[in-house]
Amino acid sequence: MFQGITGDILQRHSCGDREGAYQQVEVDFILLHDPACALLLKEFTALGQPFFDKNKVLITVDHFAPPASVERANMVKDVLSFVRMEKLPNAPVYQGICHQLLVEGPWASPGKLILGADSHTTTAGAVGCFATGMGSTDILYALVTGKTWLSPPRAVHILLNGKFPAYGMGKDLILTLLGHHGEDGFIHKALEFCDSQGAMAMDDRFAICNMVVEGGAKNGLFIPDDITAAYLSETGFDLSETYKPPPNQTLGYEKRLKMDLSAITPKVACPHSPAHVIDAAEAANETIDQVFIGSCTGGRLTDLAAAAQILKGKRIHSNVRLLIIPASISIYQQAIESGILQTLLAAGGTIMNPSCGPCGGIDKGILGAGETCLSTSNRNFRGRMGDPNSRVFLSSPLSAAASALTGKITDPREVMA
């Protein structure tokens, strides 16, 4: 029943109660953002029960940041009033995207069990924990009990050999995987990645785990290694408390896959599916109106640095709008100090405050009818970023920056020195 490291984590959190395929488990941490929290306020108040642990809840204001309509302003007002009334200690406002803030704080670490009121909560699995998204009703139950019910997913082990070429990024790998297996290729699976040479940066791992849900997976994680330990050390986590997974040979898996990082080529996902994937070179005739470099899959420091590498000393195409949104205030500050943002500004980019921005068609750069965008975000469903008659392609930040230069979708190898 229990497979992989995911199964081991769920067993360690089991309360011993079971109904059919479902196991009751203890929850370590819960994530909510402004619109998800706003949905729960009335029901939470009506229950009249306290939080199971206020220190184990993070509520961010990142979607409506700042709000662009009266309706959204009132939702943010209600959320902030609730946060103050409950005296919740972890509630950053306009500080960045919830998935990035979760892994910047001391809350996500190997072996933890984390729930979020957002499907891309799977991002946190990059540090070796179980992290998954749930609906508001399930999150409400967990907020007051500290528990939830889960059907343990079957696990798929993905061995990553070799190293990325200079033009390869985590987004290219996850698009390759989605292109091969489709939107329903991993329904209710746990994807467990093993970086055999310790060659992949944490930012690439975050992008990969974020998008496992686009293939239907329940969760994704990277088996903890020295890269994980170094990241956790930088964020001030106490490594003595870190979970040690069982040896690989003792874990059961439904399937084992292998991927060669050195063979990865730049990919794009075509409208209107993250799994409609082709080589970036095959989409070379697609002209674009807008490039968006940001979101919880493309707004981290290495993403911005990759874009700056392409755009340094150059100007974007005159027909293209380039929007850049750092994923958090911390990343924003680092990008200023390193000169990355100055390079992107000089190239013609527009820098906006850390938030979800146009991803999800929320605000700041949504698309008009007939417009085409190349985005580093995670979804390109019809109407996702604006008008239903707009089109969104997905790519890595390197491909996005290369395309901003030429005005059409471009394989980054064409412009890299």
Side-chain angles (χ1 to χ4, degrees):
M1 181 181 181
F2 292 98
Q3 292 187 339
I5 292 174
T6 295
D8 186 63
I9 293 172
L10 296 185
Q11 278 187 308
R12 290 170 184 263
H13 287 77
S14 174
C15 302
D17 295 329
R18 182 177 171 182
E19 287 188 10
Y22 286 83
Q23 190 83 27
Q24 191 176 42
V25 293
E26 301 276 355
V27 176
D28 289 316
F29 202 78
I30 298 174
L31 170 70
L32 295 101
H33 48 57
D34 37 344
C37 183
L39 283 174
L40 295 176
L41 295 182
K42 185 176 179 180
E43 288 75 12
F44 187 91
T45 303
L47 279 175
Q49 296 187 36
F51 284 90
F52 83 104
D53 188 335
K54 292 182 179 179
N55 293 308
K56 296 182 178 179
V57 177
L58 173 66
I59 298 177
T60 66
V61 178
D62 58 0
H63 279 55
F64 309 149
S69 70
V70 172
E71 178 188 19
R72 291 172 177 179
N74 282 325
M75 291 173 70
V76 170
K77 172 179 175 288
D78 291 344
V79 169
L80 294 180
S81 296
F82 175 73
V83 164
R84 285 191 288 269
M85 181 181 69
E86 293 289 338
K87 298 180 180 177
L88 297 175
N90 308 311
V93 179
Y94 307 162
Q95 296 298 296
I97 304 170
C98 60
H99 307 300
Q100 177 61 24
L101 296 179
L102 175 63
V103 298
E104 286 183 2
W107 307 298
S109 61
K112 290 283 183 64
L113 197 158
I114 296 174
L115 302 183
D118 186 287
S119 60
H120 294 111
T121 303
T122 53
T123 308
V127 302
C129 64
F130 174 91
T132 195
M134 284 189 170
S136 297
T137 303
D138 290 313
I139 291 295
L140 178 61
Y141 176 82
L143 282 174
V144 298
T145 66
K147 301 174 183 176
T148 192
W149 291 90
L150 287 169
S151 174
R154 293 193 175 277
V156 177
H157 186 274
I158 302 177
L159 180 63
L160 305 177
N161 292 317
K163 298 180 180 179
F164 277 135
Y167 53 80
M169 300 190 75
K171 177 60 82 55
D172 297 309
L173 184 145
I174 189 63
L175 289 181
T176 299
L177 198 61
L178 292 170
H180 286 163
H181 296 272
E183 287 188 47
D184 58 355
F186 299 109
I187 289 179
H188 199 67
K189 307 292 185 190
L191 301 192
E192 301 192 352
F193 298 90
C194 174
D195 183 0
S196 66
Q197 296 188 19
M200 189 179 292
M202 283 303 299
D203 286 356
D204 286 317
R205 297 180 181 193
F206 288 132
I208 291 168
C209 286
N210 179 294
M211 289 189 67
V212 298
V213 71
E214 309 307 332
K218 185 68 174 176
N219 70 300
L221 61 79
F222 269 76
I223 296 172
D225 58 11
D226 290 344
I227 301 291
T228 321
Y231 176 81
L232 292 172
S233 178
E234 290 173 4
T235 58
F237 192 82
D238 184 355
L239 295 177
S240 65
E241 298 179 359
T242 299
Y243 160 79
K244 300 291 189 300
N248 179 268
Q249 60 271 23
T250 67
L251 298 170
Y253 285 96
E254 181 181 80
K255 186 187 300 183
R256 290 180 183 268
L257 305 175
K258 292 182 180 178
M259 297 183 74
D260 180 3
L261 300 186
S262 68
I264 294 292
T265 55
K267 303 291 186 187
V268 296
C270 303
H272 302 282
S273 167
H276 184 192
V277 175
I278 62 175
D279 283 330
E282 294 181 63
N285 292 325
E286 291 286 351
T287 58
I288 49 179
D289 302 289
Q290 179 168 292
V291 170
F292 170 43
I293 299 176
S295 87
C296 47
T297 53
R300 296 189 171 84
L301 192 64
T302 54
D303 300 321
L304 304 183
Q309 173 192 348
I310 294 279
L311 295 171
K312 187 172 184 179
K314 302 172 184 173
R315 290 286 298 183
I316 60 173
H317 193 279
S318 58
N319 292 340
V320 172
R321 311 182 296 265
L322 172 59
L323 307 182
I324 297 161
I325 302 185
S328 74
I329 285 290
S330 173
I331 292 170
Y332 200 161
Q333 185 65 38
Q334 292 175 69
I336 291 172
E337 293 170 355
S338 61
I340 290 172
L341 290 191
Q342 187 169 359
T343 296
L344 297 176
L345 277 170
T350 299
I351 315 295
M352 296 184 288
N353 68 294
S355 66
C356 298
C359 180
I362 298 171
D363 66 1
K364 296 194 293 283
I366 61 177
L367 301 171
E371 290 192 317
T372 299
C373 177
L374 182 60
S375 172
T376 64
S377 56
N378 43 33
R379 281 183 181 152
N380 59 345
F381 303 149
R382 186 181 295 278
R384 167 79 177 177
M385 289 180 62
D387 192 280
N389 292 316
S390 61
R391 300 191 306 155
V392 178
F393 291 79
L394 305 178
S395 79
S396 75
L398 277 173
S399 295
S403 303
L405 270 183
T406 64
K408 59 183 181 180
I409 293 179
T410 301
D411 185 322
R413 289 174 288 187
E414 293 184 18
V415 299
M416 291 177 76

